[in-house]
């Protein structure tokens, strides 16, 4: 049987071309092993108040430490996991891990955001997938924001909307990731329950030299304020970008300027070094 498996593996490898195909194949089959051996883990990137840098949240970003390949980024492995039909066990795992960190961050005034691919939204077991795994990790829904990514892939909009509404009623916050790109557009903002908009990094970059981009961002900031939503600007890399966004009415930012994705211990140290983090403990932004 081993010889047979090896033969079909070799056939696939030569078909798709060498080491890359071999790696993709091993990725499909080794997810359970990787989860069991803590090769899949989360890094946390701070979300900060633009005015003073206080940490008000953190986005959980998944990583895979591959024995041969080193640390692999999600954009490299998630498409393969999805193709192999293994997105649910991966999501279950990231939700549990995020939940474990949520309470300690919440007590320091910071929410945790976790990414969920929109392909899962209309699945029949989407609600237990989220609720059971958050509960298993000991997280309170109120401390957790669900970021919807890959919104182009929502295949049943009414079911997706009602599932998100249900999560919202349980206390979770809902965020639209990468807003302004692809299918992450105005009809989602109007049609889906939503507590937060994340302005895509491409707009943050563009705002430095494009007046129209600044007008659009300013209008989105006003929309968020009027609709009582949080707005987070993604991918702030330099101080000039922070200054531009502040002028446009944006209050929260995330990006290399504030910190790269980091281990939870490092993030907690950053949160606790906030001078008056004590006074923030009463409110979750
Ligand atoms: P995203 O949700 O938009 O996450 C932000 C990405 O931008 C992260 O890449 C982050 O490291 C990167 N980034 C943050 N600040 C900056 C900056 O200032 N400059 C630049 N150039 N990049 C910045 P990462 O961690 O590689 O994640 C890529 C994407 O993979 C994420 O985009 C998200 O869509 C997806 N992803 C991450 N974790 C998960 C997960 O647990 N589940 C699912 N379904 N998707 C995930
Ligand atoms: Mg995200
Ligand atoms: Mg994003
Ligand atoms: Mg983005």
């Amino acid at each position: 049987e081993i010889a047979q498996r090896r033969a079909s593996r070799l056939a696939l490898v030569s078909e798709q071309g060498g080491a890359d195909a071999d790696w993709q194949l091993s990725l499909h089959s080794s997810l359970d092993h990787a989860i069991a051996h803590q090769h899949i883990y989360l890094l946390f990137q701070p979300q900060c108040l633009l005015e003073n840098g206080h940490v008000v949240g953190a986005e959980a970003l998944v990583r895979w430490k591959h024995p041969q390949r080193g640390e692999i980024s999600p954009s490299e492995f998630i498409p393969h996991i999805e193709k192999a039909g293994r997105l649910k066990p991966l999501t279950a795992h990231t939700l549990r891990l995020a939940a474990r960190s949520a309470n300690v961050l919440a007590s320091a005034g910071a929410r945790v955001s976790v990414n969920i691919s929109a392909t899962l939204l209309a699945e029949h077991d989407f609600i237990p997938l989220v609720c059971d795994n958050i509960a298993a990790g000991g997280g309170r829904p109120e401390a957790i924001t669900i970021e919807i990514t890959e919104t182009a892939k929502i295949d049943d909009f009414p079911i997706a909307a009602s599932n998100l509404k249900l999560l919202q009623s349980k206390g979770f916050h809902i965020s639209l990731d990468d807003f302004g790109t692809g299918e992450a557009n105005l009809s989602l903002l109007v049609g889906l329950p939503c507590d937060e908009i994340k302005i895509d990094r491409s707009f943050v970059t563009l705002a430095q030299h494009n007046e129209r981009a600044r007008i659009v961002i300013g209008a989105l900031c006003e929309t968020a304020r009027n609709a009582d939503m949080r707005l987070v600007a993604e991918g702030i890399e330099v101080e000039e970008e922070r200054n531009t966004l502040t002028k446009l009415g944006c209050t929260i930012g995330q990006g290399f300027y504030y910190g790269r994705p980091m281990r939870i211990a490092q993030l907690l140290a950053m949160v606790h070094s906030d001078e008056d983090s004590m006074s923030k403990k009463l409110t979750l932004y």
Side-chain angles (χ1 to χ4, degrees):
E1 194 210 323
I2 290 175
Q4 198 184 346
R5 225 191 290 158
R6 183 137 192 271
S8 63
R9 198 171 87 136
L10 286 176
L12 190 72
V13 168
S14 57
E15 214 173 88
Q16 298 185 351
D20 232 45
D22 193 21
W23 170 62
Q24 289 173 19
L25 189 68
S26 73
L27 214 55
H28 295 175
S29 54
S30 58
L31 181 67
D32 296 331
H33 178 269
I35 288 176
H37 290 79
Q38 284 98 45
H39 292 163
I40 293 180
Y41 53 91
L42 298 177
L43 295 182
F44 293 83
Q45 187 176 35
Q47 300 180 329
C48 299
L49 290 183
L50 296 180
E51 88 177 291
N52 55 20
H54 285 327
V55 180
V56 294
E59 178 174 8
L61 294 159
V62 71
R63 295 289 182 272
W64 186 327
K65 186 130 191 172
H66 196 268
Q68 278 86 44
R69 292 227 160 195
E71 196 172 84
I72 319 174
S73 75
S75 28
E76 271 183 272
F77 68 80
I78 287 183
H80 300 299
I81 295 293
E82 191 181 348
K83 252 184 261 157
R86 312 276 349 254
L87 205 50
K88 275 188 208 175
L90 176 70
T91 305
H93 185 60
T94 54
L95 285 167
R96 271 174 203 237
L97 292 179
R100 277 187 213 149
S101 300
N103 293 344
V104 57
L105 282 167
S107 65
R111 313 186 54 80
V112 167
S113 295
V114 17
N115 291 284
I116 295 192
S117 173
T119 45
L120 296 175
L121 289 184
E123 291 285 317
H124 68 96
D125 54 355
F126 177 70
I127 297 296
L129 175 72
V130 175
C131 296
D132 295 356
N133 285 295
I134 292 297
R140 277 188 307 121
E142 292 76 16
I144 291 162
T145 299
I146 304 289
E147 277 189 23
I148 308 302
T149 72
E150 305 255 27
T151 39
K153 296 179 179 166
I154 297 182
D155 42 36
D156 191 322
F157 198 87
I159 293 184
S162 75
N163 274 341
L164 289 178
K165 188 109 211 120
L166 199 54
L167 286 188
Q168 209 181 30
S169 74
K170 291 175 188 289
F172 292 98
H173 285 199
I174 309 298
S175 173
L176 293 180
D177 207 355
D178 306 321
F179 192 80
T181 64
E183 300 287 313
N185 56 31
L186 290 177
S187 46
L188 295 187
L189 188 56
V190 171
L192 292 182
C194 174
D195 305 283
E196 177 183 280
I197 308 172
K198 292 191 84 173
I199 299 188
D200 191 67
R201 175 164 68 91
S202 55
F203 288 97
V204 170
T205 311
L206 206 56
Q208 286 309 104
H209 43 257
N210 183 311
E211 171 66 5
R212 200 64 71 80
R214 288 192 289 276
I215 292 171
V216 170
I217 293 174
L220 272 177
C221 292
E222 199 181 328
T223 302
R225 259 196 312 280
N226 291 338
D228 201 20
M229 293 186 293
R230 200 173 186 257
L231 183 137
V232 178
E234 287 187 322
I236 298 184
E237 293 184 346
V238 292
E239 185 166 13
E240 292 75 53
E241 289 170 342
R242 184 205 77 111
N243 295 341
T244 303
L245 285 153
T246 305
K247 275 190 214 134
L248 294 174
C250 183
T251 54
I252 303 174
Q254 178 182 343
F256 296 166
Y257 175 71
Y258 291 104
R260 301 237 164 195
M262 59 185 85
R263 296 283 187 166
I264 186 72
Q266 211 182 337
L267 182 79
L268 284 171
M270 189 174 165
V271 171
H272 292 307
S273 72
D274 270 8
E275 278 161 3
D276 51 355
S277 62
M278 291 303 289
S279 63
K280 294 187 303 156
K281 283 185 180 172
L282 300 175
T283 27
L284 272 185
Y285 278 79

